Amino acid sequence: MVKNKRIFRTLYDQVAAKAGAMLQYFSAQGVTIAATLLYGLLCVRLLPSSEYAKFVVLFGVQGTLLVLMDVNFSGTLIPLVGDRIDNRQLIADYVASLRQLSYWAFGIVGTGTIFFYPLLVKHRNWNWQVVASMIVILLISTWFVRIGSAYGAVLILLRRRALWYRATMISNVGTLVLLVLFWRLHLLGPFTAILLNVLGLVYVGIDYYWHARKLLGVVGIPTPQLKRAIVGLALPNIPQAIFYALQGQISLFLITFFGHTQGVSSVGALARLGQIFVIFKQGNALFIEPYFAKLPKSRLRSSYTITLLLTAAICLAVMQMTYFFPQVLLWVLGPQYSNLRFEVQLAVAASSISFFSSVMWCIHTARKFVYWWNVGLSIGLTLAVQILFIFKADMSTVRGVLWLTVATNVTSLFINILSGAYGFIKGPRETEEKPVMVPESVVESEAYMDLYPLEDGSVPLESVPRKSES
């Protein structure tokens, strides 16, 4: 009887902890995402379409740059650390190794931005001062978002979600208040809206950096082996990440290059509706990936099935709402976009497919269902679909680029389904499992002996000298 009470109490505590975490997430992130949605929708309604197009293009390109700068390196932190979250030195070393890799990526991506961005917007008739300012803003904001991504992963890994929530809430609510203030003072323009958004991104990056460093309490030491482990796990996804970074915004790029300014602003306005899924997508990194990374193999199939069924229910509910009540979303966008009834339905359908696919990809990454074989297949199929649409559809129209987005997302979902099936049959891909080595330069006479677990959780037979850091 006593044993049964203990079991019941343990189960109750686990359920209560998970329910508390979910309640905290949806309350805190509900406010944050509501502020983000309202900020974007106010920009849609308050800015003329010709001015809103600048906002759309800049942040669309920023999304591509973020993927190119990271190529899933930050996403390797949680799977590589696994259940070794008490080893703060190991986490700090991984973060330091990530930082070194990001320097190279930023140099390459920044140089490419300076060269290619003017070519992308050459038909928009923006003067060189505007284009140059947008490039500077892109480089600064991208760097701080990259910092936030790496150090935000540390907060999630150390289960300090409250700090993660607080920074984004302060940022998003604060920028919304400032936006309304500038509007009331009749000072709102495209660059005001852009700079306020960037201010929020900079704040989040600095906040995550400061709290993560304080929580770790040690100085990380980048090592060649840790960088190899990061690259080794991310490597199969790197070609695909680069490809999807370039084509993930292909609808916007095509209509920016071939279409008219009203089309650019319409695609951007419709993309705001896709943020319906943001609160759920952020839950991927906060809950789904850490949960599946340490889930026992015996419970994987049932948890995988339940998670995908819940995701499908959310997607279908949102699509049904949009199908029967598109006028609600059109009213939200404002009178400039009142004729986009069918386009609204297409945009939400594309976002639903993308969200479902992102949940699958997040689980597969956590379980190391990452393989080389699907990279070529994914790129080949996606290119085939996009080339077909580019030649057969009118890419200067909003409807044409939205159909392209739907087809591309369906292709991505198909590849994820194949990867999941292969992962369950063949198992996860093996990664480097050698003990972590330390450069001789950090070994001193007062160094203490520390044991770093291997990737499979075991401990090497010989101690590794480590320099104590405070």
Side-chain angles (χ1 to χ4, degrees), residues 211-228:
H211 281 105
R213 291 291 296 269
K214 184 178 178 181
L215 286 170
L216 290 174
V218 293
V219 177
I221 304 171
T223 67
Q225 184 186 350
L226 292 184
K227 285 187 280 189
R228 286 196 299 270

Side-chain angles (χ1 to χ4, degrees), residues 4 17 44 68 127-128 174 176 189 207 212 252 281 312 316 336 343 361 394 401 445:
N4 289 338
V44 171
L68 289 175
N127 61 47
W128 71 267
L176 175 62
D207 187 273
L252 176 61
K281 280 189 174 182
L316 289 173
Q336 297 182 85
E343 286 79 0
W361 183 86
D394 185 0
V401 298
S445 58

Side-chain angles (χ1 to χ4, degrees), residues 112-185:
T113 302
I114 294 170
F115 179 77
F116 286 107
Y117 189 80
L119 298 179
L120 174 66
V121 300
K122 69 177 184 178
H123 297 312
R124 299 278 65 82
N125 296 321
W126 297 336
N127 61 47
W128 71 267
Q129 293 95 334
V130 169
V131 175
S133 300
M134 295 174 86
I135 291 173
V136 172
I137 292 170
L138 273 172
L139 295 178
I140 293 173
S141 62
T142 301
W143 176 250
F144 278 95
V145 173
R146 175 69 184 83
I147 291 174
S149 176
Y151 287 94
V154 174
L155 298 182
I156 295 168
L157 190 62
L158 298 180
R159 301 190 180 108
R160 298 302 181 96
R161 295 190 180 98
L163 294 174
W164 196 94
Y165 299 143
R166 189 182 68 180
T168 55
M169 183 184 297
I170 292 173
S171 169
N172 291 11
V173 174
T175 52
L176 175 62
V177 171
L178 289 173
L179 181 78
V180 173
L181 178 62
F182 274 85
W183 171 59
R184 295 294 296 174
L185 295 173

Side-chain angles (χ1 to χ4, degrees), residues 138-449:
L138 273 172
L139 295 178
I140 293 173
S141 62
T142 301
W143 176 250
F144 278 95
V145 173
R146 175 69 184 83
I147 291 174
S149 176
Y151 287 94
V154 174
L155 298 182
I156 295 168
L157 190 62
L158 298 180
R159 301 190 180 108
R160 298 302 181 96
R161 295 190 180 98
L163 294 174
W164 196 94
Y165 299 143
R166 189 182 68 180
T168 55
M169 183 184 297
I170 292 173
S171 169
N172 291 11
V173 174
T175 52
L176 175 62
V177 171
L178 289 173
L179 181 78
V180 173
L181 178 62
F182 274 85
W183 171 59
R184 295 294 296 174
L185 295 173
H186 304 287
L187 298 174
L188 183 62
F191 275 95
T192 306
I194 289 169
L195 290 174
L196 288 176
N197 205 349
V198 171
L199 178 64
L201 299 176
V202 171
Y203 169 79
V204 170
I206 294 173
D207 187 273
Y208 285 171
Y209 172 83
W210 189 82
H211 281 105
R213 291 291 296 269
K214 184 178 178 181
L215 286 170
L216 290 174
V218 293
V219 177
I221 304 171
T223 67
Q225 184 186 350
L226 292 184
K227 285 187 280 189
R228 286 196 299 270
I230 293 167
V231 175
L233 182 58
L235 198 57
N237 274 332
I238 288 177
Q240 187 167 294
I242 294 173
F243 174 72
Y244 277 105
L246 297 174
Q247 69 83 44
Q249 299 282 348
I250 192 168
S251 300
L252 176 61
F253 295 161
L254 286 171
I255 203 164
T256 299
F257 193 81
F258 293 111
H260 48 82
T261 301
Q262 178 64 37
V264 176
S265 58
S266 296
V267 168
L270 291 169
R272 288 286 164 187
L273 301 178
Q275 291 185 338
I276 294 170
F277 294 101
V278 168
I279 192 167
F280 301 109
K281 280 189 174 182
Q282 288 187 349
N284 288 348
L286 290 169
F287 297 107
I288 293 178
E289 187 175 3
Y291 173 76
F292 278 94
K294 56 188 177 183
L295 187 71
K297 187 177 180 180
S298 59
R299 294 168 51 195
L300 177 60
R301 290 181 184 273
S302 58
S303 297
Y304 185 85
T305 302
I306 292 171
T307 301
L308 292 187
L309 286 175
L310 290 174
T311 304
I314 293 170
C315 293
L316 289 173
V318 174
M319 290 174 66
Q320 284 291 94
M321 182 197 72
T322 307
Y323 181 79
F324 289 109
F325 307 105
Q327 63 274 12
V328 175
L329 298 179
L330 290 172
W331 176 83
V332 170
L333 293 180
Q336 297 182 85
Y337 309 98
S338 59
N339 61 333
L340 299 177
R341 180 187 178 92
F342 183 67
E343 286 79 0
V344 162
Q345 295 170 343
L346 278 180
V348 172
S351 297
S352 300
I353 297 167
S354 175
F355 169 57
F356 188 86
S357 185
S358 73
V359 172
M360 293 190 72
W361 183 86
C362 183
I363 298 173
H364 298 165
T365 301
R367 300 302 299 189
K368 299 182 182 178
F369 291 175
V370 181
Y371 312 100
W372 281 104
W373 64 265
N374 66 341
V375 175
L377 179 62
S378 177
I379 293 175
L381 280 178
T382 305
L383 276 177
V385 169
Q386 291 181 343
I387 290 171
L388 177 65
F389 269 81
I390 288 172
F391 279 101
K392 296 292 184 180
D394 185 0
M395 291 296 103
S396 65
T397 65
V398 176
R399 187 170 296 189
V401 298
L402 287 175
W403 273 119
L404 173 64
T405 303
V406 171
T408 301
N409 291 349
V410 169
T411 304
S412 178
L413 176 60
F414 174 69
I415 298 299
N416 275 323
I417 292 172
L418 290 182
S419 299
Y422 187 86
F424 277 106
I425 295 171
K426 296 295 184 180
R429 187 175 67 85
E430 295 296 327
T431 56
E432 187 177 8
E433 297 189 355
K434 297 178 181 179
V436 176
M437 303 300 294
V438 180
E440 293 182 0
S441 59
V442 302
V443 181
E444 296 182 3
S445 58
E446 66 272 18
Y448 66 93
M449 308 303 287

